[in-house]
Amino acid sequence: MSVDVLELALGLTRAMLAAAQAQEWPRLIELEAEREPLLLRRHASDPDSLARLDEILAYDRQLQAIVGRARDSAAEQWQQETDRARAIAAYARP
């Protein structure tokens, strides 16, 4: 039973990675909400289950990197727009 749950969680994790790579953030959030209860269950510690958990953790590290880069990019774009707006406002002052 635990392996089936972990296999489902692994499939969801792969789908999460694909959504993150496509920058489909709402889909990523939906998949995470679906996956979370599966991972919160107690799982066996047999080699097969541990291998699936390790794979999920490896994908999660990739997800964190992708999301981190997207966050940093959004923050940079926001800062550029803020700086641009300030420059325009400064020139507009009498």
Side-chain angles (χ1 to χ4, degrees):
M1 173 74 173
S2 181
V3 172
D4 292 338
V5 169
L6 287 175
E7 191 62 37
L8 180 56
L10 183 56
L12 288 168
T13 304
R14 288 179 181 136
M16 289 169 60
L17 185 57
Q21 290 168 335
Q23 296 186 357
E24 296 174 354
W25 308 121
R27 179 71 178 138
L28 175 62
I29 292 167
E30 290 171 6
L31 291 165
E32 169 58 22
E34 190 176 340
R35 183 188 76 156
E36 184 179 16
L38 300 176
L39 292 179
L40 292 176
R41 295 182 184 185
R42 180 177 286 274
H43 299 286
S45 57
D46 61 279
D48 204 27
S49 295
L50 293 176
R52 282 181 173 75
L53 286 169
D54 283 344
E55 193 172 352
I56 289 168
L57 289 172
Y59 284 132
D60 276 355
R61 286 189 292 276
Q62 291 179 45
L63 279 164
Q64 289 173 351
I66 291 168
V67 170
R69 285 191 300 271
R71 179 202 60 227
D72 293 347
S73 177
E76 183 179 326
Q77 288 175 2
W78 180 84
Q79 187 61 53
Q80 288 173 353
E81 288 302 315
T82 300
D83 292 346
R84 181 176 167 267
R86 285 185 185 142
I88 291 169
Y91 282 110
R93 289 188 196 138

